[in-house]
Amino acid sequence: MSAMNWCHRCMGIYRHLTVSELQAMRTRLMASLQDRLASPTSAAHNGRSVQYQQNVAEIRKEIAALSEELEARGAGVSGGAVRGPIYIV
């Protein structure tokens, strides 16, 4: 397990947020990611040009962390309840 996954699972940086807040945050991040991927990456005018970087790795990490927290609470994309293993004693 990587250090980043361990951090999100044990400390739960999103534990203080409600499910609706988590879903709203994930929606905003998805829109931001879509906007960044769809926006132009360069512009030119009068012989000058500028290149923009599309660094989306951090946004994707945050979306993954939010989705993981929602799945842990049973309110993920699937909408179904998350169940643990069944132990027969």
Side-chain angles (χ1 to χ4, degrees), residues 30-41 54 56:
M30 292 293 284
S32 175
L33 177 65
Q34 194 69 17
D35 184 49
R36 189 160 302 178
L37 291 174
S39 64
T41 59
Q54 288 182 311
V56 296

Side-chain angles (χ1 to χ4, degrees), residues 16-79:
H16 66 285
L17 298 175
T18 65
V19 170
S20 60
E21 289 173 328
L22 289 170
Q23 290 171 336
M25 185 180 250
R26 184 174 62 181
T27 301
R28 283 193 308 270
L29 284 172
M30 292 293 284
S32 175
L33 177 65
Q34 194 69 17
D35 184 49
R36 189 160 302 178
L37 291 174
S39 64
T41 59
S42 64
H45 182 68
N46 290 337
R48 296 182 181 199
S49 64
V50 176
Q51 296 257 336
Y52 299 101
Q53 293 183 355
Q54 288 182 311
N55 188 4
V56 296
E58 285 297 318
I59 294 174
R60 289 179 194 251
K61 283 181 189 176
E62 292 301 315
I63 290 171
L66 286 166
S67 295
E68 185 177 313
E69 180 67 28
L70 285 167
E71 286 295 326
R73 293 185 190 191
V77 177
S78 63

